[in-house]
């Protein structure tokens, strides 16, 4: 039995069980805490934490692959990352092992985290620094949380400020658990892809999640991978508002 993620003495979400090596990884508990405390800015908190935690991993992966295969083209390296994380996205609907809204929130959170890992690995494959702070803005634009990088950077600054305020002064007050979960789930579902939003409702209806799960997750993730390639390959007509350092 897994331990719950605490919410002021209550359990918001069950902790996902230990997964096989090729299964998707859930966001860390500290990130769940920040997103629970500030669900309005959950995508921004996830993007900031992804660059901090997953950016170095992506940089090390790309450096290791290039050292082992110096002739490997950037497109081939990106292909390798895309295949891996699309496969993980297909499995993300089964990570929580929980039914109802808590399971749906975990599912879309794991999917959004897997997608962030994919984007940062694609960036590294094309020689773009995955630990640069601009990657957080890239994530939010690529995942269609914001239309342009400028608005994404403003939102990231607000989220970072709220994170510091909570660390210094704590929470202003508890909110209804159900309302927090619903807002968190909707924000993460939007980040993970429009189709993935169906997970919030499908997970509550017995049988529906099985039909929609793997298709919705892999489809949303494949679309994201295509957008990331366009951006980081430097193709003409890439996403507006993006700049590479």
């Amino acid at each position: 039995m897994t331990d719950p993620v605490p919410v002021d003495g209550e359990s918001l979400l069950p902790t996902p069980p230990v997964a096989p090596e090729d299964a998707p990884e859930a966001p860390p508990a500290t990130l769940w805490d920040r997103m629970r405390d500030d669900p309005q800015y959950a995508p921004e908190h996830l993007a900031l934490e992804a660059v901090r935690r997953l950016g170095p991993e992506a940089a090390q992966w790309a450096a290791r692959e290039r050292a082992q295969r110096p002739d490997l083209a950037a497109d081939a390296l990106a292909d390798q990352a895309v295949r891996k994380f699309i496969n993980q996205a297909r499995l993300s609907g089964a990570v929580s092992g929980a039914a109802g809204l808590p399971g749906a929130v975990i599912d879309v959170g794991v999917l959004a985290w897997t997608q962030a890992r994919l984007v940062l690995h694609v960036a590294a494959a094309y020689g773009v620094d995955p630990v640069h702070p601009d990657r957080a803005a890239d994530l939010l634009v690529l995942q269609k949380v914001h239309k342009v990088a400028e608005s994404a950077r403003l939102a990231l600054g607000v989220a970072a400020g709220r994170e510091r305020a909570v660390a210094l002064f704590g929470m202003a007050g508890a909110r209804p658990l159900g309302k927090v979960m619903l807002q968190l789930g909707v924000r993460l579902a939007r980040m993970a892809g429009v189709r993935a939003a169906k997970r919030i409702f499908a997970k509550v209806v017995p049988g529906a999640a099985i039909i929609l799960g793997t298709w919705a997750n892999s489809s949303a993730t494949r679309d994201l991978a295509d957008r990331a390639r366009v951006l980081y390959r430097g193709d003409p007509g890439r996403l507006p508002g993006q700049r590479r350092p």
Side-chain angles (χ1 to χ4, degrees):
M1 188 170 182
T2 57
D3 296 328
V5 177
V7 183
D8 298 325
E10 296 185 70
S11 174
L12 169 61
L13 299 167
T15 303
V18 176
E21 186 177 347
D22 59 346
E25 177 185 319
T30 52
L31 174 58
W32 280 119
D33 289 342
R34 284 198 297 277
M35 294 192 298
R36 172 209 69 200
D37 293 343
D38 194 18
Q40 179 182 354
Y41 286 90
E44 287 78 10
H45 290 300
L46 190 147
L48 288 168
E49 187 70 12
V51 173
R52 285 193 291 254
R53 284 182 178 256
L54 305 180
E57 168 196 298
Q60 292 166 10
W61 164 80
R64 183 174 62 249
E65 292 297 321
R66 290 192 183 100
Q68 293 175 352
R69 295 181 287 174
D71 296 332
L72 187 66
D75 282 336
L77 190 56
D79 285 344
Q80 182 179 322
V82 169
R83 284 194 300 270
K84 176 179 179 179
F85 295 115
I86 286 179
N87 286 337
Q88 288 192 3
R90 290 192 182 102
L91 298 174
S92 62
V95 168
S96 67
L101 187 56
V105 173
I106 288 182
D107 286 353
V108 292
V110 171
L111 179 56
W113 188 248
T114 300
Q115 290 178 344
R117 181 177 259 121
L118 180 151
V119 168
L120 294 172
H121 278 68
V122 170
Y126 286 108
V128 178
D129 184 4
V131 303
H132 192 282
D134 279 354
R135 298 296 80 75
D138 289 350
L139 281 169
L140 295 175
V141 175
L142 286 167
Q143 293 179 291
K144 299 185 177 181
V145 177
H146 294 278
K147 291 184 178 179
V148 295
E150 285 72 16
S151 62
R153 291 188 187 101
L154 286 174
L156 287 164
V158 172
R162 290 159 77 99
E163 180 181 332
R164 289 190 295 269
V166 170
L168 288 172
F169 306 113
M171 283 292 294
R175 286 164 293 175
L177 184 60
K179 184 177 180 180
V180 168
M181 290 177 63
L182 183 59
Q183 186 178 10
L184 179 57
V186 168
R187 293 292 288 164
L188 291 175
R190 180 182 177 187
M191 185 181 195
V194 175
R195 295 185 184 93
K198 296 178 181 179
R199 301 284 301 154
I200 290 292
F201 306 101
K203 191 74 185 243
V204 180
V205 180
I210 298 173
I211 298 171
L212 291 174
T214 59
W215 176 83
N217 289 1
S218 60
S219 177
T221 306
R222 191 178 301 279
D223 289 346
L224 174 65
D226 291 342
R227 295 194 296 273
R229 285 178 181 277
V230 169
L231 174 62
Y232 295 127
R233 189 189 287 133
D235 289 349
R238 66 181 185 222
L239 296 179
Q242 300 297 296
R243 294 194 300 270
R244 291 198 293 175

